[in-house]
């Protein structure tokens, strides 16, 4: 039971909400009601339905961000343009639309995405999906030789990263068993890889490393890696380095240009709220995006090698249908095919919300609200026993993002998840025993956090008391167990 007194009271949470400088943004998002979550149809529940207006407690933005209210209007505007203009929609601007012509919507998205990751507009392209972008950029930055052929990556990387790295290695005729150097926690009692361990590993294997590939924020533990320090150290040993920022973009402050990051990729459906499977994005530092056609006349490379496609070609000659590829300078030159204007419209709707604040303000609230979450979770039980869980995310604010990963005692997960979902609490799980909780600063409140912790602690106590009796499981817990599930892609 959570003590409801003083700074641990719900009244205090409400007071924090009143002082929150970002509180108005909550109204910019559609928060599913508890009735919505329980309904077996998509029709709006009637006013008589219990909880029809009561919002759920949604702390799952690390898996799928909520829909901005303006998304539907922006998509409808896109559809209207398509309906009324057809192919002319690629070129014609409209006074009553906030959207650019189809042909330029990717440029608009890059312009709005760049400040979120601390980049120049020319260093960002919003395109493809995260894993496709991993392949596209590794084809350019992973250039193995007989001496330098290994890739450093974390041992507990998101599976798609591992699949991509292994397939890139095999594509070059190498064996992943020989060509991957894995970073696993030295201390088996922790899930965290220290910065000193990363630097030491780079030093140890530098003579055989072709690429360093790491996460900005680790998906399982929520650890925020020291991108600036690690990037500088890799460069001091002459090594290129790339970052998977799936759980970092829109979550933590990034300065990719100033930190001299070589390349990075991320998705937009988590903290960036573009919708399920939303379009991905990539960063290529300006030093790698230069195009010098005069160099080719001297027998030198005019631009960095890459897998090329027509949408990465110079806009001025794109529709001339010539066979001489001239890339757009910067990240846009790494584009391959025509990006979905519909998908770009969805991400633009969310980026409009971000443009009304900045990542400094978002990160400031994120640190505060996640610290608040941690403090409530660590409150000892009133009956004197210990909590049946522990937090495996680093305790230092600078070493984590919004997410806290809570490791439950064995056998509690399914029952706890079922209890949470029954009362309209949405978090996600990672088998066998971890609950991931991520308060998103733009739409989550301190009251959300207080209510969650109260319900979560009560659920843990209830399931712990009835352990062994079996549990029904939950939508999230059962989601990855069948072909229609999506638990594995979160």
């Amino acid at each position: 039971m959570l003590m409801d007194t003083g700074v641990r009271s719900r009244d205090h949470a409400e007071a924090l909400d009143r002082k929150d400088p970002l509180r108005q943004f909550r109204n910019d998002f559609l928060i599913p009601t508890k009735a919505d979550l329980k309904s077996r149809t998509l029709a709006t529940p009637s006013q008589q339905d219990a909880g029809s207006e009561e919002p759920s407690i949604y702390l799952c933005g690390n898996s799928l961000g909520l829909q901005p209210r303006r998304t539907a209007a922006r998509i409808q505007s896109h559809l209207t343009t398509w309906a009324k203009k057809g192919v002319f929609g690629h070129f014609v601007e409209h006074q009553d639309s906030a959207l650019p012509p189809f042909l330029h919507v990717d440029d608009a998205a890059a312009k709005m995405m760049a400040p979120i990751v601390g980049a120049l507009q020319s260093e960002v392209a919003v395109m493809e999906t995260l894993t496709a972008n991993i392949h596209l950029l590794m084809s350019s930055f992973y250039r193995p030789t007989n001496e330098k052929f290994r890739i450093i990556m974390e041992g507990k990387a998101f599976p798609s990263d591992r699949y991509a790295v292994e397939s890139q290695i095999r594509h070059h005729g190498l064996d992943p068993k020989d060509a991957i150097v894995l970073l696993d926690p030295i201390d088996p009692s922790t899930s965290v890889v220290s910065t000193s361990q990363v630097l030491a590993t780079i030093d140890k294997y530098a003579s055989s490393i072709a690429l360093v590939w790491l996460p900005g924020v680790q998906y399982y533990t929520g650890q925020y890696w020291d991108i600036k320090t690690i990037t500088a150290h890799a460069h001091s040993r002459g090594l290129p380095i790339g970052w998977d920022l799936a759980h970092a973009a829109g979550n933590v402050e990034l300065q990719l240009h100033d930190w001299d990051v070589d390349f990075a990729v991320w998705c937009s459906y988590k903290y960036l709220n573009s919708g399920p499977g939303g379009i991905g994005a990539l960063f290529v530092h300006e030093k790698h995006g230069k195009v010098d056609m005069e160099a080719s006349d001297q027998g030198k490379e005019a631009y960095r090698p890459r897998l090329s496609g027509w949408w990465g070609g110079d806009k001025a000659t794109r529709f001339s249908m010539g066979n001489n590829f001239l890339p757009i300078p910067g990240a846009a030159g790494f584009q391959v095919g025509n990006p979905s204007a519909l998908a770009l419209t969805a991400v633009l709707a969310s980026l409009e919300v971000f443009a009304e604040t900045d990542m400094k303000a978002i990160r400031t609230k994120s640190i505060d609200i996640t610290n608040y979450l941690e403090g409530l979770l660590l409150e000892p039980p009133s009956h004197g026993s210990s909590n049946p869980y522990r937090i495996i995310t680093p305790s230092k604010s600078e070493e984590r993002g919004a997410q806290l990963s809570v490791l439950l005692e064995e056998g509690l997960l399914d029952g706890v998840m079922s209890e949470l979902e029954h009362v309209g609490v949405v978090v996600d799980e990672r088998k066998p025993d971890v609950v991931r909780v991520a308060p998103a600063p733009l739409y989550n409140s301190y009251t959300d956090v207080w209510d969650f912790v109260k319900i979560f602690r009560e659920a843990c106590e209830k399931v712990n008391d009835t352990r062994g009796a079996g549990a029904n499981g939950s939508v999230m817990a059962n989601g990855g167990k069948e072909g229609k599930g999506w638990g594995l892609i979160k």
Side-chain angles (χ1 to χ4, degrees):
M1 184 69 68
L2 185 64
M3 293 181 63
D4 194 5
T5 58
V7 296
R8 298 303 188 206
S9 69
R10 196 174 193 276
D11 287 344
H12 181 67
E14 292 173 349
L16 292 174
D17 284 331
R18 288 192 292 272
K19 297 177 183 177
D20 175 14
L22 300 183
R23 63 187 179 278
Q24 75 275 14
F25 289 107
R26 181 176 173 89
N27 294 325
D28 285 323
F29 292 86
L30 296 169
I31 301 173
T33 66
K34 293 181 178 181
D36 288 333
L37 295 178
K38 289 184 177 181
S39 177
R40 303 297 293 180
T41 70
L42 293 177
T44 301
S46 68
Q47 294 288 336
Q48 289 74 32
D49 291 342
S52 62
E53 300 297 327
E54 185 179 359
S56 62
I57 301 171
Y58 193 94
L59 297 166
C60 205
N62 59 321
S63 282
L64 180 66
L66 290 179
Q67 183 184 139
R69 288 185 180 274
R70 66 189 75 188
T71 298
R74 295 294 179 268
I75 289 178
Q76 185 56 56
S77 179
H78 165 83
L79 295 176
T80 300
T81 302
W82 179 22
K84 293 191 173 186
K85 301 294 182 179
V87 72
F88 291 170
H90 283 87
F91 314 105
V92 179
E93 294 187 4
H94 301 96
Q95 295 177 352
D96 56 351
S97 175
L99 300 175
F102 303 154
L103 182 63
H104 304 300
V105 68
D106 54 335
D107 293 333
K111 181 179 181 179
M112 298 186 74
M113 185 73 78
I116 292 175
V117 296
L120 305 177
Q121 178 182 343
S122 63
E123 294 175 319
V124 173
V126 184
M127 55 182 275
E128 304 293 341
T129 60
L130 188 149
T131 304
N133 287 334
I134 293 176
H135 281 295
L136 288 171
L137 291 187
M138 281 196 172
S139 72
S140 180
F141 286 89
Y142 178 53
R143 317 290 291 180
T145 65
N146 290 336
E147 294 77 27
K148 298 174 76 70
F149 60 93
R150 290 192 170 102
I151 297 177
I152 293 178
M153 69 180 303
E154 57 157 337
K156 301 297 183 182
F158 191 79
S160 197
D161 288 57
R162 183 65 175 265
Y163 304 154
V165 168
E166 289 190 358
S167 62
Q168 286 284 328
I169 289 169
R170 290 192 179 97
H171 183 70
H172 288 278
L174 302 171
D175 188 338
K177 293 179 181 178
D178 301 323
I180 296 180
V181 177
L182 294 177
L183 282 164
D184 286 306
I186 295 174
D187 182 354
S189 67
T190 180
S191 301
V192 173
V193 176
S194 68
T195 299
S196 61
Q197 180 186 347
V198 178
L199 304 187
T201 302
I202 290 173
D203 288 340
K204 181 178 179 180
Y205 293 96
S207 63
S208 63
I209 296 299
L211 179 67
V212 181
W213 174 248
L214 297 172
V217 172
Q218 213 280 342
Y219 82 98
Y220 182 79
T221 65
Q223 178 190 359
Y224 178 23
W225 292 46
D226 190 342
I227 299 174
K228 179 180 180 180
T229 298
I230 295 171
T231 297
H233 193 75
H235 287 169
S236 74
R237 303 307 299 262
L239 306 179
I241 182 167
W243 294 88
D244 179 341
L245 303 178
H247 285 264
N251 178 13
V252 296
E253 277 192 276
L254 300 167
Q255 297 296 331
L256 300 185
H257 176 83
D258 290 346
W259 293 343
D260 203 27
V261 167
D262 292 304
F263 69 98
V265 300
W266 59 96
C267 55
S268 64
Y269 56 82
K270 301 180 188 297
Y271 297 99
L272 295 176
N273 314 306
S274 71
I279 196 165
L282 58 78
F283 165 91
V284 177
H285 197 281
E286 65 172 345
K287 65 187 178 184
H288 299 302
K290 296 178 179 178
V291 177
D292 181 6
M293 297 310 294
E294 292 182 1
S296 63
D297 297 333
Q298 304 170 13
K300 302 177 181 178
E301 289 183 341
Y303 51 86
R304 187 175 186 88
R306 68 197 66 187
L307 296 178
S308 301
W310 82 304
W311 211 257
D314 179 38
K315 274 192 173 184
T317 60
R318 180 182 288 163
F319 289 94
S320 298
M321 302 304 168
N323 290 321
N324 295 317
F325 180 69
L326 174 62
I328 302 170
F334 287 79
Q335 294 178 105
V336 180
N338 187 351
S340 165
L342 179 60
L344 286 165
T345 297
V347 76
L348 278 172
S350 179
L351 294 177
E352 288 179 16
V353 181
F354 277 84
E356 294 176 12
T357 180
D358 56 47
M359 284 308 303
K360 182 177 178 61
I362 291 171
R363 177 63 170 154
T364 297
K365 178 181 173 180
S366 179
I367 289 173
D368 194 60
I369 198 170
T370 300
N371 285 346
Y372 180 66
L373 170 62
E374 179 186 46
L376 294 179
L377 285 171
L378 294 179
E379 187 79 14
S382 56
H383 48 69
S385 62
S386 60
N387 290 314
Y389 58 79
R390 63 184 178 90
I391 298 172
I392 61 173
T393 307
S395 59
K396 294 181 179 180
S397 297
E398 63 270 21
E399 295 178 4
R400 67 187 184 199
Q403 173 186 318
L404 291 185
S405 297
V406 184
L407 178 65
L408 300 177
E409 291 182 358
E410 185 178 357
L412 294 181
L413 181 63
D414 283 1
V416 168
M417 288 293 291
S418 181
E419 290 291 325
L420 295 179
E421 291 180 9
H422 180 69
V423 294
V425 174
V426 183
V427 292
D428 81 351
E429 48 77 27
R430 278 292 174 267
K431 294 292 187 180
D433 300 305
V434 167
V435 173
R436 302 189 307 172
V437 189
L442 287 177
Y443 53 76
N444 282 128
S445 67
Y446 291 86
T447 308
D448 281 340
V449 169
W450 193 94
D451 289 341
F452 161 74
V453 174
K454 180 177 183 292
I455 295 167
F456 174 72
R457 290 168 68 103
E458 291 172 351
C460 288
E461 185 173 335
K462 177 180 178 180
V463 176
N464 199 29
D465 289 343
T466 59
R467 198 186 319 214
N472 294 326
S474 67
V475 173
M476 298 295 267
N478 291 328
K481 294 180 181 178
E482 59 184 5
K484 296 180 180 179
W486 66 291
L488 293 181
I489 70 168
K490 294 180 295 183

